[in-house]
Structures are given as C-alpha cells and as structure tokens.
C-alpha cells in the first residue's frame, strides 16, 4: 500500500509514491506489450503513449489531463486484448492515484 504523500517510501526516497506506482505500472505494461506476439493496427499508438507516460513519470509530478489523455489513447489502442487487460488496469489505477482533473 502507498504511504501518505508527505512520508518517505520504504526505500528512503523522497519521490512521490504515486509517481513510483505509475512508473512501475507503465514499465510492466510496456514489457507485456513488447512480448505480445499479435500485431494490431494501433500498436504503435499504444507504444508511443506508454513511452510518453514513462517520460512523464521520470519528470516529476505529471499533468493530470495529459495522463488521462494518454490512458484513453492506450485503452483505445489496446482495445479488448485480454492478454493486456491486467497491465492496462494497473496503469489506470496508477493514473487514478493523481485524482480527478479539475472541472472548468
């Protein structure tokens, strides 16, 4: 379970635990996608957006609207591929840790 935002993680890092969770989930889904043998039309979109999420996770606290946009593009690209559904769910949960986008 994640610690509150003001505390150090178990490793002693000052990194936001939400960012750590996002980086872990994205890395896992990238590996699963790379190992997935089937080609599908939007695979490049999924790979590009996962790379964008990975870059956001290394740059500190990402922008919530951009996170959500990438998540939607990945979900649309992967579609209903059951072999990748667990990894996609983990990424979605990691994005949800950042909260809702403020309404205008």
């Amino acid at each position: 379970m994640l610690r509150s935002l003001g505390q150090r993680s178990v490793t002693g890092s000052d990194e936001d635990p939400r960012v750590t969770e996002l980086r872990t989930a994205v890395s896992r889904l990238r590996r699963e996608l790379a190992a997935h043998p089937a080609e599908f039309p939007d695979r490049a979109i999924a790979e590009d957006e996962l790379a964008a999420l990975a870059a956001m996770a290394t740059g500190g606290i990402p922008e919530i609207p951009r996170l959500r946009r990438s998540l939607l593009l990945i979900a649309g690209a992967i579609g209903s591929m059951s072999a990748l559904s667990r990894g996609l769910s983990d990424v979605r949960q990691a994005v949800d840790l950042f909260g809702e986008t403020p309404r205008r």
Side-chain angles (χ1 to χ4, degrees):
M1 191 87 180
L2 294 175
R3 295 179 145 204
S4 69
L5 298 179
Q7 296 178 348
R8 289 177 171 246
S9 69
V10 177
T11 62
S13 171
D14 286 329
E15 183 177 68
D16 187 324
R18 300 174 300 173
V19 174
T20 303
E21 191 73 21
L22 178 62
R23 187 172 37 254
T24 301
V26 167
S27 177
R28 187 177 310 122
L29 183 54
R30 287 179 89 181
R31 284 191 310 270
E32 290 172 6
L33 182 58
H36 191 34
E39 285 299 321
F40 50 96
D42 295 330
R43 184 181 192 119
I45 293 169
E47 291 169 343
D48 289 348
E49 289 303 320
L50 283 167
L53 282 178
M56 284 186 260
T58 60
I61 304 295
E63 295 179 32
I64 295 170
R66 181 66 177 106
L67 283 176
R68 296 206 175 276
R69 179 181 176 277
S70 287
L71 178 62
L72 287 173
L73 288 169
I74 294 164
I78 290 175
S80 61
M81 301 184 87
S82 61
L84 301 173
S85 64
R86 176 65 186 176
L88 180 59
S89 177
D90 290 347
V91 170
R92 182 193 54 80
Q93 289 173 359
V95 168
D96 286 347
L97 293 173
F98 289 90
E100 294 294 319
T101 303
R103 294 181 189 240
R104 294 180 183 178

